[in-house]
Amino acid sequence: MADMTMKDLSRKMREIDFAMLVTRTSNGALAGRPMSNNRDVDYTGDSYYFANDQTRTVSDIEADPNVSLSFQGSSGVLGQRPLFVSVEGTAELIRDKAQFKAHWTSDLDRWFPNGVDTPGVVMIRVRATRMHYWNGMDEGEVTLG
């Protein structure tokens, strides 16, 4: 098994647009939903997503910021298994338009027609604390501060 560095993992994750964001609901159940990272992957342990502040995702994070993310790449080379990444982390809700601009892409206008000025838009930053990956036959873990 070859150990991947955060830089190696970031380079591979660049090709994965969607992650499943999993939160804990008020009744203790786990709830997952797909979120686009908008190919914003100079990955150093932080992921950025956008949502409406009236969604269950946001209320779940307000109650319990511990979340997980799962990523799955496309099929590997020559029929190998794709890259899988599981991330444990802490979510933070950001409502600062100036910070939105650093992670905003025009693709988001589909869901937020007024861009960063859309009423109720919130950015979710997930700070990874632990990442486990499976890359073909290799697997490993990256622990972050």
Side-chain angles (χ1 to χ4, degrees), residues 18 36 38 107-114 118:
F18 285 90
S36 174
N38 308 303
D107 293 341
L108 291 165
D109 294 341
R110 177 179 179 186
W111 290 279
F112 307 102
N114 295 324
T118 301

Side-chain angles (χ1 to χ4, degrees), residues 3-142:
D3 289 331
M4 252 197 270
T5 65
M6 177 57 72
K7 185 176 181 178
D8 297 332
L9 200 52
S10 174
R11 190 175 63 251
K12 290 181 177 290
M13 289 173 69
R14 242 182 217 99
E15 299 305 314
I16 305 172
D17 185 22
F18 285 90
M20 290 297 289
L21 171 63
V22 179
T23 59
R24 186 160 311 272
T25 66
S26 59
N27 68 1
L30 297 175
R33 75 280 295 157
M35 303 292 282
S36 174
N37 65 25
N38 308 303
R39 304 230 186 253
D40 187 5
V41 186
D42 267 339
Y43 202 75
T44 57
D46 287 356
S47 298
Y48 299 89
Y49 307 97
F50 289 88
N52 183 292
D53 66 0
Q54 298 300 308
T55 61
R56 183 176 194 160
T57 303
V58 171
S59 62
D60 288 351
I61 291 169
E62 287 172 333
D64 183 351
N66 296 300
V67 300
S68 69
L69 297 166
S70 63
F71 297 86
Q72 177 183 339
S74 59
S75 297
V77 178
L78 301 174
Q80 292 180 347
R81 296 181 200 152
L83 172 69
F84 296 91
V85 182
S86 176
V87 177
E88 295 172 19
T90 305
E92 174 187 3
L93 300 171
I94 298 170
R95 292 178 170 87
D96 178 9
K97 290 180 189 179
Q99 290 187 50
F100 293 176
K101 291 178 183 177
H103 302 282
W104 195 268
T105 68
S106 61
D107 293 341
L108 291 165
D109 294 341
R110 177 179 179 186
W111 290 279
F112 307 102
N114 295 324
V116 298
D117 294 318
T118 301
V121 69
V122 63
M123 185 169 69
I124 302 167
R125 175 175 46 202
V126 176
R127 291 213 151 146
T129 54
R130 179 182 168 272
M131 300 173 66
H132 198 100
Y133 65 85
W134 297 263
N135 186 33
M137 298 301 289
D138 293 333
E139 70 173 284
E141 185 174 310
V142 176

